[in-house]
Amino acid sequence: MANRYFQPEQETMPLEDIQKLQSEKLVKQVKHVYDNVKYYRDLMDAKGVKPEDIHGIEDLHKLPFIKKDDLREAYPYGLLATDLSDCVRIHSTSGTTGKRVVAFYTQHDVDMWEECCARAIVAAGGDENDVCQVAYGYGLFTGGAGLHGGSHKVGCLTLPMSSGNTDRQIQFMMDLNATILCCTPSYAAYIGETLKEKGLKPEDNKLKAGIFGAEPWTEEMRHDIEKSLGIKAYDIYGLTELSGPGVSFECQEQKGMHINEDHFIAEIINPETGEVLPVGEKGELVFTSLDKEAFPLLRYRTRDICVLSREKCSCGRTFIRMTKPLGRSDDMMIIRGVNVFPSQIETVLLNCGYTPNYQIIVDRVNNTDTFDINVEMKEEDFSDIPVGITNREKELQNAMKAMLGINPKIHLVAPKSIARSEGKAVRVIDKRKRLGINV
Ligand code: DLL
């Protein structure tokens, strides 16, 4: 495949030019943030740093970090850097206490984000002749909207399917000759399996590429998906706080994801000490957004652990590459593409009158995540009348669904039946690790 780029000038810019551009944008962005966001002004004042102290990327380390907790504390408008009337969109991610992180976008922010996604689609071989089936969820989640916008920018015929309804998904894929599939890797694997069950072979569909992300997946999974769908499978990374998918994306080399460095500065830090680590070392990924108007973030700690590489890439892109996330430095789990924190589960249990004695068991069966929660009943509530228990399980399941956005299977168990630990309680048993998934 010939090397093609959506924005060649930016994507193949020499390193010195990227760094010069980043420095210029950083100076402006810090001033924008300091002048317009009291929360940042307070953080910077507390650290004794003023916009005049930032002359370029060499001064980045002087700025304070910002964390998910800050975003929750500032909910909903505390980090907004423009007038609300300048914003055209919000997206949101789940939060630990029911407070979600809400990210705002101006039209300029939406355009920049969609261009990042368009770069990913072109890197996967997409152009205006393609039919791009977007099977990420649409709504508050950024997956659907991001790839949808990117697909429009490339000029593909866009199939806005959203996730689920696999039979319809397959019917449109076959009838409308979809050539690019965008969804979570686990959903792609499930679609592959369903095709097989229907007696359809990989060569029966017109797909050539898939753009899969939003959750950890392995090289083995990539091979399986490529085989079952007859495609090349590309990874894409991003997070709501920074716009959504497209912060980084894979090229034909499929060896790490190029970070859109004209819009984001990436750093790797030691998650314990905050010390900045040299390129090539493993640590927590920290991003500074250089162009976002409404919801700019300086030195945002993603909690994703990975390694960066400046090694030259045969695709011609000069942007630094990141490995797949190799784990997290917090306790967030990604289950069926949804971010789940154990503390959310604990909040629901306490609100519903249960004790916080519970265990979360996550696994992946037939390419779909399973999600079970064992919850101890209180002595006074315990009975062995199955009907009563089933009703209470359903009630709790509904409360969990309202908090998390996905349905766990609840199992009420006898008091004191969950093993007590002498040290840190083992709340989560993630069996997906046996599949080599970096949870
Ligand atoms: O997952 C945005 C996205 C949508 C990315 C579609 C790619 C495709 P959040 O829901 O805010 O945003 O979750 C962000 O998901 O910090 C990572 O831990 C994880 N994540 C995202 N992409 C990948 C990936 C979207 N390719 C969190 N591999 C991030 C592994 C990923 N983990």
Side-chain angles (χ1 to χ4, degrees), residues 68 92-94 136 141-144 147 183-185 211-217 235-241 243-248 257 300 302-304 322 324-328 332 334 337-339 438:
K68 210 178 190 117
S92 164
T93 178
S94 55
Y136 284 111
F141 178 57
T142 53
L147 270 308
C183 61
T184 58
I211 302 177
F212 307 131
E215 64 181 7
W217 54 312
D235 205 350
I236 184 166
Y237 168 90
L239 47 163
T240 315
E241 296 88 322
S243 53
V247 170
S248 66
M257 293 175 271
Y300 180 63
T302 63
R303 297 287 176 188
D304 290 317
M322 57 178 269
K324 281 176 179 301
L326 307 168
R328 299 222 8 124
M332 187 180 95
I334 303 182
V338 176
N339 305 346
N438 292 314

Side-chain angles (χ1 to χ4, degrees), residues 6-18:
F6 181 67
Q7 290 169 314
E9 198 191 314
Q10 289 83 354
E11 293 176 63
T12 61
M13 195 180 260
L15 179 58
E16 307 88 81
D17 294 358
I18 294 175

